[in-house]
């Protein structure tokens, strides 16, 4: 592994994770399978510990919304991955013109030696946090 930051194509595991978050799919075969059982999620101002709690967090957070994550650029540095992109969100009962963007959206994921994400940090602009109820 190198400690140089290099831009890479969006890995399939990351696309699978975002699809699972968008679809609220927390099944054993979903994109959440990339997470270690002892994962720590730092999502804006909130911290959540453990795989099952992280799944519950995303379901509670995204259940009221129709969400679509869009990775723009992905970088790797050793066992860490950094995604710069965005997410389009709309409350399920709102018309499409009420959609709002969480952009720029930043995701930082650290892997352990077993190939699982042990730390996941997500941050976004304050106005997106306010619109999303955080």
């Amino acid at each position: 592994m190198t400690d140089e930051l290099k831009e890479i194509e969006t890995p399939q595991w990351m696309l699978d994770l975002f699809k699972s978050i968008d679809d609220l799919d927390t099944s054993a075969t979903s994109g959440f399978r990339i997470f270690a059982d002892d994962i720590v999620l730092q999502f804006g101002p909130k911290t959540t510990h453990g795989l099952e709690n992280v799944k519950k967090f995303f379901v509670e957070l995204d259940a009221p919304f129709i969400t679509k994550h869009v990775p723009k650029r992905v970088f790797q540095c050793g066992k860490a991955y950094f995604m710069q992109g965005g997410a389009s969100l709309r409350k399920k009962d709102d018309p499409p013109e009420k959609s709002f963007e969480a952009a720029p959206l930043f995701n930082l994921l650290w892997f352990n030696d077993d190939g699982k994400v042990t730390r996941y940090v997500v941050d976004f602009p304050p106005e997106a946090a306010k619109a999303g109820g955080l």
Side-chain angles (χ1 to χ4, degrees):
M1 294 267 164
T2 177
D3 60 359
E4 282 186 34
L5 183 67
K6 63 180 177 179
E7 188 165 4
I8 62 170
E9 292 293 320
T10 305
Q12 188 61 50
W13 61 262
M14 188 179 283
L15 295 172
D16 293 346
L17 173 61
F18 292 139
K19 181 172 179 6
S20 294
I21 292 170
D22 294 345
D23 295 346
L24 301 178
D25 177 5
T26 61
S27 67
T29 59
S30 75
F32 285 95
R33 70 187 178 281
I34 198 68
F35 290 157
D37 289 338
D38 62 349
I39 184 167
V40 175
L41 169 68
Q42 180 69 44
F43 192 94
K46 300 182 184 249
T47 302
T48 304
H49 298 266
L51 178 57
E52 292 309 312
N53 290 329
V54 168
K55 287 179 179 182
K56 287 179 196 173
F57 174 84
F58 278 112
V59 168
E60 289 174 9
L61 178 71
D62 284 351
F65 297 99
I66 297 169
T67 307
K68 174 68 175 152
H69 285 84
V70 181
K72 302 266 188 202
R73 299 177 76 188
V74 177
F75 298 86
Q76 182 180 5
C77 183
K79 294 180 186 178
Y81 291 79
F82 174 77
M83 185 280 286
Q84 178 262 315
S88 173
L89 298 102
R90 173 172 54 97
K91 290 186 179 176
K92 288 183 177 170
D93 295 333
D94 284 350
E97 59 270 11
K98 291 232 177 171
S99 292
F100 61 94
E101 296 294 317
L105 175 69
F106 299 104
N107 286 247
L108 188 53
L109 303 102
W110 280 276
F111 280 76
N112 63 17
D113 290 337
D114 297 325
K116 297 286 187 174
V117 175
T118 58
R119 181 142 175 90
Y120 183 18
V121 178
V122 180
D123 215 344
F124 34 80
E127 56 275 8
K130 184 177 178 184
L134 293 174

